[in-house]
Amino acid sequence: MKRWLTLPTLCWCVFAIGLYGLLQLLIEIGVISVVWQITLANIGINVILAVSLNLILGISGQFSLGHAAFMGIGAYAGGIVLKMLPGYTGMLLGALAGLLISALAALVIAVPTLRLRGDYLAIATLGFGEIIRIIINNMKITNGAAGLSNIPAVANLTVIYFTIVLTLIIVCNFKNSAPGRACISIKEDEIASEAMGIPTTRYKVIAFVLGAMLASLAGVLYASSFYVIKPTYFAFAQSINILVIVVFGGMGSMTGSVVAALVLGVINYLLQSLPNERMIVYAVAIILIMVFRPKGLMGNFELSFARLKSLQDIKALPALWKDKILAVLARLKNKRQKEDA
Amino acid sequence: MSMLEIKGLSVHYGMIHAVKDLSMQVNAGEIVALIGANGAGKSTLLKTISGLLPKTSGSITTLEQDITHSSPVKIVGLGVIHVPEGRRVFSGLSVLENLQMGAYSKKDKSAIKESLAEVFAHFPILQERLSQDAATLSGGEQQMLAIGRALMAKPKLLLLDEPSMGLAPILVKEIFSIITSIHESGTTVLLVEQNARMALSIADRGYVMETGRLVLQGTGKELAESAQVQKVYLGG
């Protein structure tokens, strides 16, 4: 028990609850309008999707192009159960059904295809995503191509927020655990990992199934936030959207995925008044960032309180930040003086 | 007792017949050098022993256990540890984490601590670099880390693939003296090398491999003095 209650954990709790309080306060006093709330819900769902794909792509290095399919499985499982049983119970049961089905689907696809490497795996998962979409398109219970509508909107920002927190706790703890390190070694060098006696296929399957399950959770939230779902929402293009967030934020960095989902979501929202030019600006923004920061916004940086060993360290933080800012300013000043000379 | 016994082994890379009906053996407590030119099939042979490559025919046994069709996981469990060519340390993980991955097959925490101390005894420099990202190490340090990582798995038989590759002569000397001291502490070593002079100088016995076949064998001294080896591999 004592091991869990460390200062970094405490910092994270304060951080998470504080951010939630701030969000609620801003909504209460009307700074965050209803439109922004919808945008935030969308961003939140994208955060979960990106973090779950980052587990597969950034931590264990498996290139999956079928992630939207797992989101679709979750969305339809959630939507169907919610229509039969509105309310939180329905959403919870729907989420359970989604988790179960996506885990099974992920297992079926993972065991044969994760023996493939790189681009072969990408093609295989791409095909898998299309298969799931076509199955959904042709089933009665999913209402075919017309999709499901009038799904009771049970999820709100609170539910989404705490699902993000849960997802981050699961994925970040996985990353720092022994299986997580095994996954990272497989990403870095599969042959060396095998030579060290690490069962590579097993760990690849674990990461893939876990990522798929978290994506289905995002699907449930999507279905219960936006009333309508259609098979086309979960096609190849959506998989690419998720992939863009992960690469944009930095593969392997969960902080990066969160920040990238936020940045891209806000860019998307601000450009809504330019419906035609929007995709061009969006694309140019992505290209520019990838040119100047090829490792993604955050590289492999991770926001962490781990360096805080005692309360003394927290008190010392403002001074540390001040020093850092002063150092940056001094460097800028130096540069300018050099340019002047 | 023979630590490793290979009988009539054949390995194919697609259409290429990389190892042809090869038989050899490594006795417990020996250092055996396997020398040969580029593309002779030395690395292929090591990868086949450690289970990374499938075999076409033949058999491999270690300490009287048949490992012809075993998985790498099981072969590592039996104490046959492969240090692959080109170091292949895990960048993005710290030196300590790299070493911990080496002990993946071991579950006993106090035993892992002991092996860690042993690795530091062989490679003091790694202790200084403990929390550094493995990618930031120099070539020589990376090679030391790669060998140290393998030692964490408590090898009975250590398969070393080109430990001198791309290193400065002084570092090559250092690595070879460490290999000798690892051998003295009771580990059998099968050493694949292009640096024939160095390899034969520390080896008890040696084999010369050419296009998938063993063409010569003898003690390290015999091979180093043989006219054929001198002409082809020692430049004299």
Side-chain angles (χ1 to χ4, degrees):
Chain A
M1 203 55 222
K2 215 174 176 185
R3 262 186 68 199
W4 284 96
L5 203 71
T6 56
L7 195 63
T9 326
L10 212 65
C11 284
W12 275 117
C13 289
V14 172
F15 183 75
I17 292 169
L19 194 64
Y20 177 70
L22 185 71
L23 206 67
Q24 286 299 328
L25 184 76
L26 289 178
I27 291 172
E28 209 61 41
I29 60 173
V31 176
I32 298 180
S33 64
V34 178
V35 186
W36 268 106
Q37 285 179 37
I38 295 170
T39 310
L40 277 181
N42 213 344
I43 289 175
I45 290 166
N46 279 340
V47 166
I48 301 172
L49 287 169
V51 168
S52 64
L53 181 63
N54 209 343
L55 169 66
I56 300 172
L57 181 64
I59 296 183
S60 56
Q62 305 307 306
F63 201 82
S64 167
L65 282 179
H67 211 55
F70 298 115
M71 181 196 181
I73 291 174
Y76 271 92
I80 291 166
V81 178
L82 261 174
K83 284 192 82 163
M84 292 191 289
L85 196 79
Y88 280 118
T89 346
M91 193 170 73
L92 217 60
L93 285 177
L96 278 179
L99 286 174
L100 202 72
I101 300 170
S102 61
L104 279 176
L107 210 60
V108 168
I109 176 84
V111 172
T113 55
L114 286 183
R115 293 168 195 278
L116 302 175
R117 278 168 204 186
D119 21 5
Y120 304 108
L121 178 65
I123 302 286
T125 49
L126 176 94
F128 164 76
E130 286 303 291
I131 291 173
I132 294 288
R133 188 181 62 81
I134 290 167
I135 290 177
I136 293 175
N137 219 343
N138 286 292
M139 266 172 41
K140 230 183 201 128
I141 193 170
T142 58
N143 200 22
L148 296 178
S149 50
N150 291 326
I151 300 165
V154 185
N156 48 27
L157 274 182
T158 307
V159 174
I160 295 177
Y161 184 86
F162 284 104
T163 314
I164 295 176
V165 171
L166 179 75
T167 309
L168 283 171
I169 290 175
I170 292 174
V171 174
C172 290
N173 275 309
F174 181 80
K175 187 180 172 187
N176 293 326
S177 69
R181 276 198 297 274
C183 285
I184 295 174
S185 357
I186 293 166
K187 177 190 74 170
E188 292 301 336
D189 200 318
E190 199 163 337
I191 291 183
S193 311
E194 248 185 310
M196 290 298 100
I198 298 167
T200 52
T201 306
R202 186 199 300 169
Y203 281 113
K204 287 195 279 186
V205 170
I206 289 176
F208 194 81
V209 171
L210 190 57
M213 289 169 80
L214 292 171
S216 83
L217 224 46
V220 176
L221 293 178
Y222 186 90
S224 54
S225 296
F226 300 116
Y227 309 104
V228 183
I229 49 175
K230 288 182 184 165
T232 46
Y233 291 1
F234 312 110
F236 178 56
Q238 173 66 8
S239 295
I240 295 291
N241 281 339
I242 309 170
L243 183 70
V244 165
I245 300 175
V246 174
V247 176
F248 190 78
M251 280 192 257
S253 165
M254 300 307 144
T255 317
S257 288
V258 176
V259 172
L262 259 172
V263 169
L264 290 177
V266 170
I267 291 180
N268 234 337
Y269 174 77
L270 294 178
L271 292 175
Q272 249 161 17
S273 52
L274 311 163
N276 293 323
E277 296 87 343
R278 188 175 68 160
M279 283 326 283
I280 301 175
V281 178
Y282 187 73
V284 169
I286 289 174
I287 291 173
L288 281 180
I289 294 214
M290 291 329 288
V291 167
F292 290 108
R293 284 200 64 91
K295 283 178 114 184
L297 276 179
M298 293 287 149
N300 44 23
F301 169 83
E302 206 73 92
L303 185 66
S304 153
F305 295 114
R307 258 172 258 155
L308 300 178
K309 290 282 180 309
S310 69
L311 284 173
Q312 227 65 34
D313 292 344
I314 296 177
K315 281 185 197 152
L317 266 185
L320 195 77
W321 285 336
K322 198 177 126 205
D323 288 346
K324 271 197 178 158
I325 293 168
L326 285 178
V328 171
L329 286 179
R331 215 181 304 151
L332 280 178
K333 207 174 155 195
N334 264 338
K335 212 177 168 188
R336 197 173 303 152
Q337 274 171 354
K338 260 185 205 161
E339 276 167 10
D340 285 346
Chain B
M1 188 165 46
S2 79
M3 185 57 88
L4 180 73
E5 185 141 24
I6 301 176
K7 277 187 189 147
L9 183 72
S10 273
V11 181
H12 282 82
Y13 263 128
M15 294 293 288
I16 299 164
H17 200 171
V19 175
K20 297 164 190 161
D21 191 24
L22 181 144
S23 300
M24 68 183 284
Q25 85 165 17
V26 178
N27 299 316
E30 276 185 320
I31 295 191
V32 173
L34 180 64
I35 59 176
N38 263 335
K42 307 177 304 271
S43 296
T44 305
L45 179 61
L46 283 202
K47 283 187 194 158
T48 312
I49 296 170
S50 60
L52 299 177
L53 287 178
K55 304 122 189 112
T56 319
S57 61
S59 74
I60 304 177
T61 49
T62 176
L63 294 172
E64 265 121 56
Q65 287 235 35
D66 183 32
I67 54 166
T68 314
H69 300 291
S70 300
S71 65
V73 177
K74 189 167 174 230
I75 294 171
V76 167
L78 289 172
V80 178
I81 316 292
H82 181 187
V83 181
E85 186 180 3
R87 316 194 248 277
R88 291 178 177 269
V89 297
F90 302 126
S91 52
L93 291 180
S94 70
V95 169
L96 179 64
E97 284 169 332
N98 264 275
L99 292 173
Q100 283 168 344
M101 290 324 296
Y104 178 85
S105 55
K106 301 278 175 269
K107 298 291 168 232
D108 179 5
K109 279 203 174 133
S110 64
I112 291 176
K113 256 194 179 153
E114 265 171 45
S115 352
L116 204 56
E118 272 171 46
V119 170
F120 292 150
H122 286 300
F123 306 104
I125 186 83
L126 293 183
Q127 195 161 16
E128 291 167 32
R129 302 265 190 268
L130 217 49
S131 55
Q132 211 169 307
D133 185 338
T136 64
L137 298 182
S138 73
E141 288 163 355
Q142 286 190 7
Q143 185 62 61
M144 293 180 193
L145 178 56
I147 298 176
R149 187 177 62 184
L151 290 182
M152 292 297 291
K154 293 251 162 215
K156 295 188 181 105
L157 172 62
L158 192 60
L159 310 173
L160 289 169
D161 199 347
E162 299 262 357
S164 76
M165 192 167 82
L167 297 184
I170 183 154
L171 275 171
V172 174
K173 253 190 191 156
E174 193 178 340
I175 294 276
F176 271 84
S177 83
I178 294 169
I179 294 172
T180 319
S181 75
I182 290 170
H183 170 242
E184 275 160 9
S185 61
T187 308
T188 311
V189 178
L190 174 56
L191 174 66
V192 160
E193 259 302 335
Q194 291 212 45
N195 190 336
R197 193 187 306 272
M198 269 307 226
L200 291 176
S201 73
I202 64 166
D204 299 312
R205 287 188 307 119
Y207 292 93
V208 179
M209 197 167 177
E210 251 170 44
T211 59
R213 286 199 175 83
L214 294 178
V215 291
L216 263 181
Q217 56 173 303
T219 64
K221 205 166 165 240
E222 278 167 15
L223 284 182
E225 284 165 0
S226 102
Q228 197 183 349
V229 171
Q230 285 207 341
K231 186 160 165 253
V232 181
Y233 301 104
L234 300 177

